[in-house]
Amino acid sequence: PAAERGAGSHNITVRSAGYDSGNMADFEVDGKKLSMTVGRGMNVAVLQSDGTLRDFGSFDTHEGGSEALVAFIGKLRSGTLVLVAALDDAQGNISSAAKEAIASCGSKLIHSLAYRGSYAFIGTKDGEALAEKTLAVDGGVAVASVQGALRPASVAVGVRSSGYDSQNFAEFSVNGAVLDVVALRGMNVAVVGSDGALVAFRNFDTHGSGSEALVDFIADLDPGSLVLIAALDEAQGNMSAAARSAIKDCGAAHIDALVYRGSYALIGVKGGAALA
């Protein structure tokens, strides 16, 4: 099958007020405030491509939260949309590494953050700032807003599968280019990022004993991940019910119909629907 995952656009607003300017932080997407518990320091929200909240962390950089902030941003994939809002005071003990982590999302003003100042930011990991505002103590509410913020560009993907008696191959393509991976017997799983780059690839010999590893691999994927699956040779023999359920979690509707040495191809979304 083949499918195209297109771009979406969202109106995004981040508001921040330091201790003497209202003491608040909130995040809004398409006119609706995101639900989370903000705290003193830097509050960081990560969005999925449909504008829903994927992850959130509150880091008390007035005290000892810098290291956790660095780790949180460090694990994000390139191109991830990142929203940041300071609350109360975020400057007191923010480390140079924490500032550099925020700068890695495009920030130009993080190094001028003032004690108890307001700071609002919208940017992309390893990319550029889309909107950024910082104000000194008593400076009021900082607002960063993007109208029609574009999310991932269209990515055309394809998956081909042929069982043992039907040419015996498995192939993945992105924007017309075949991915350079080595498919093996069982289920082959490719995860593709919003920019079309290969994020991860694994083979699971579900004819043998690969079901448990397949379940763990899919469970570790972020919700919204684009998942491509192709059977090669024979994938049905010892596939467990848990492995079938894991594939269903990526939108599969026909995995229970997989036959011995049968062909199987899926393009789906972790926690979502099948695209093809």
Side-chain angles (χ1 to χ4, degrees):
E4 184 167 316
R5 202 178 198 190
S9 63
H10 303 286
N11 299 326
I12 301 169
T13 301
V14 178
R15 300 181 184 88
S16 162
Y19 183 83
D20 297 312
S21 300
N23 205 29
M24 55 85 71
D26 66 40
F27 305 87
E28 185 178 287
V29 178
D30 296 330
K32 298 181 179 180
K33 288 186 179 180
L34 300 181
S35 178
M36 75 270 287
T37 301
V38 295
R40 185 177 66 179
M42 287 296 185
N43 297 276
V44 184
V46 179
L47 298 186
Q48 300 189 103
S49 59
D50 62 359
T52 58
L53 185 67
R54 190 185 90 191
D55 203 355
F56 173 76
S58 182
F59 307 96
D60 187 0
T61 51
H62 176 80
E63 289 193 355
S66 287
E67 186 175 352
L69 172 60
V70 172
F72 182 88
I73 292 178
K75 72 180 182 181
L76 299 179
R77 296 172 182 162
S78 295
T80 299
L81 189 60
V82 181
L83 320 181
V84 182
L87 175 66
D88 192 330
D89 174 62
Q91 184 262 359
N93 280 297
I94 192 168
S95 67
S96 296
K99 290 182 180 181
E100 288 302 322
I102 296 172
S104 76
C105 300
S107 171
K108 302 296 185 184
L109 303 178
I110 187 61
H111 294 289
S112 60
L113 176 65
Y115 178 73
R116 287 186 171 175
S118 306
Y119 178 78
F121 172 72
I122 303 170
T124 54
K125 176 67 184 295
D126 297 324
E128 298 181 353
L130 303 178
E132 187 174 24
K133 185 74 172 180
T134 184
L135 297 170
V137 63
D138 289 329
V141 178
V143 179
S145 183
V146 178
Q147 303 301 310
L150 292 178
R151 295 295 295 142
S154 294
V155 176
V157 294
V159 179
R160 298 202 301 159
S161 163
S162 184
Y164 184 84
D165 297 314
S166 304
Q167 300 181 29
N168 202 29
F169 72 87
E171 180 183 274
F172 304 91
S173 63
V174 176
N175 294 331
V178 175
L179 297 182
D180 184 16
V181 296
V182 178
L184 299 171
R185 185 179 70 179
M187 285 298 187
N188 297 274
V189 184
V191 181
V192 175
S194 59
D195 58 357
L198 182 65
V199 174
F201 175 79
R202 288 280 302 277
N203 164 263
F204 305 95
D205 186 3
T206 49
H207 176 79
S209 58
S211 286
E212 185 176 353
L214 172 60
V215 172
D216 291 342
F217 180 82
I218 292 178
D220 286 341
L221 297 179
D222 292 333
S225 295
L226 185 60
V227 182
L228 319 182
I229 300 178
L232 176 66
D233 191 329
E234 206 295 295
Q236 182 262 0
N238 282 299
M239 180 179 287
S240 68
R244 293 175 188 270
S245 293
I247 295 172
K248 289 176 184 177
D249 193 34
C250 299
H254 305 297
I255 188 60
D256 288 332
L258 177 64
V259 299
Y260 181 76
R261 286 185 171 175
S263 305
Y264 181 82
L266 170 73
I267 300 171
V269 177
K270 170 68 183 295
L275 304 180

